[in-house]
Amino acid sequence: MTEPTFAGQVSRWYEQHARDLPWREPGVSPWAILVSEVMLQQTPVARVLPAWQAWLDRWPTPAALAADSPAEAIRMWGRLGYPRRAVRLRECAVAIVERHGGDVPDRLEQLLALPGVGTYTARAVAAFAYGQRHPVVDTNVRRVVCRAVAGEPDAGPATRPADLVATEELLPVEPAAAALASAAIMELGAVVCTARSPRCGACPVEATCAWRASGQVAPAGPTRRPQRYAGTDRQVRGLLLGVLREATGPVPHQRLDQVWADDVQRARALAGLVTDGLVEPVGERAFRLIGDGPPAPVAG
Ligand code: SF4
């Protein structure tokens, strides 16, 4: 059978070549694995490593994080980017305490019901923390499956139900072997079958890869340009959040006015932080991280 051979080949490669990452160590808690999966979604491994360790040193359990404020979660998130993840992770910790007695649940439907836990994260925790058989599909996995099985260069921007089906068909029946294969396919996409320069000569499925066999025709149309950061609202939000993270109390409007000269863009960025639940007004002329201290007075 071709499909188990694919998983077997990639799994054997993984056992020999996988990166040595702390969340893959035996005995790592499901909570630690959940934190790693949330952090890794939009942030490179090298930046996640110290942040993950610091986070777990401070909050080794969901209950520990749930007992702290969302403001502290945003502070600890530091410069990992997309800080709404910090607030959602704390909400997730609260839900784990309230619904599951402080233990990360092991059933997929319970994981999917947690705040901030989507299709990918729920299956990743079920597979990597609990050794279950689920298709764990991120960008890297979609790319590998698309190339090696379908013979196409790119799987497109978003995970579709068909991607889950195509990946599940590749997994061994036995749950532990399936979980290993899921981690292995993901790793192959991260370090060998990369988007721009796949290293096919180092790939364990080179001999059977459909895209390789077809001559690796690159996709038609323009290649994706890297996203601009300088001058964007994202940059302004980051600057505002940096000031608020370092403050020990409400920050006066005048102090925030200093971080960016364009009044309109600065106001828009600040309003976005409030709308996203990261920042709250204190009275009419100051702001602070959400939940940073006693309840904010109601304006007006
Ligand atoms: S042979 Fe090349 S294109 Fe095919 S899966 Fe391996 S690295 Fe990717």
Side-chain angles (χ1 to χ4, degrees):
M1 286 204 305
T2 305
E3 286 133 357
T5 303
F6 175 89
Q9 285 175 316
V10 180
S11 296
R12 274 197 300 279
W13 167 85
Y14 178 79
E15 285 171 334
Q16 292 173 359
H17 299 282
R19 289 167 296 175
D20 189 13
L21 299 174
W23 43 83
R24 291 175 176 166
E25 296 288 322
V28 169
S29 73
W31 168 241
I33 290 172
L34 171 57
V35 172
S36 76
E37 291 298 340
V38 172
M39 288 185 171
L40 287 165
Q41 273 170 33
Q42 284 153 308
T43 310
V45 166
R47 287 176 57 205
V48 166
L49 281 167
W52 178 81
Q53 193 57 62
W55 189 277
L56 291 163
D57 286 347
R58 178 160 180 182
W59 298 307
T61 62
L65 175 57
D68 222 326
S69 69
E72 284 307 296
I74 296 169
R75 282 201 177 92
M76 280 296 285
W77 199 257
R79 299 189 176 278
L80 281 183
Y82 300 98
R84 263 187 63 72
R85 289 182 291 169
V87 176
R88 296 293 277 164
L89 191 50
R90 183 186 165 277
E91 290 169 1
C92 179
V94 171
I96 289 170
V97 170
E98 290 176 353
R99 300 176 200 167
H100 305 291
D103 294 325
V104 176
D106 60 357
R107 283 171 39 199
L108 184 61
E109 62 270 27
Q110 292 176 329
L111 287 162
L112 283 166
L114 293 171
V117 174
T119 300
Y120 166 79
T121 308
R123 285 171 174 77
V125 171
F128 304 148
Y130 294 113
Q132 297 173 12
R133 184 181 188 276
H134 295 288
V136 185
V137 182
D138 70 350
T139 313
N140 291 324
V141 170
R142 278 188 300 128
R143 186 172 55 253
V144 170
V145 173
C146 195
R147 286 175 174 172
V149 179
E152 293 165 5
D154 198 326
T159 299
R160 305 156 302 169
D163 295 321
L164 296 178
V165 173
T167 304
E168 185 164 17
E169 285 175 356
L170 296 170
L171 299 180
V173 174
E174 201 272 314
L180 176 66
S182 291
I185 298 169
M186 192 175 299
E187 183 78 345
L188 188 69
V191 302
V192 173
C193 192
T194 59
R196 291 195 183 174
S197 40
R199 296 187 295 117
C200 301
C203 179
V205 294
E206 183 188 14
T208 56
C209 173
W211 190 47
R212 184 84 165 144
S214 73
Q216 285 175 296
V217 180
T223 50
R224 233 177 282 155
R225 287 198 192 143
Q227 281 185 343
R228 187 173 63 93
Y229 180 72
T232 62
D233 284 8
R234 250 190 92 207
Q235 184 187 13
V236 185
R237 285 165 59 107
L239 292 169
L240 291 167
L241 215 48
V243 172
L244 291 158
R245 257 199 320 260
E246 277 160 32
T248 51
V251 177
H253 217 298
Q254 300 91 311
R255 171 71 188 90
L256 295 173
D257 289 350
Q258 293 167 13
V259 307
W260 196 256
D262 182 333
D263 292 343
V264 173
Q265 190 177 21
R266 191 182 61 249
R268 187 170 64 227
L270 188 55
L273 290 172
V274 173
T275 303
D276 284 353
L278 295 164
V279 169
E280 60 187 356
V282 183
E284 294 188 358
R285 299 299 299 164
F287 290 85
R288 69 183 181 191
L289 293 180
I290 190 84
D292 199 13
V298 178

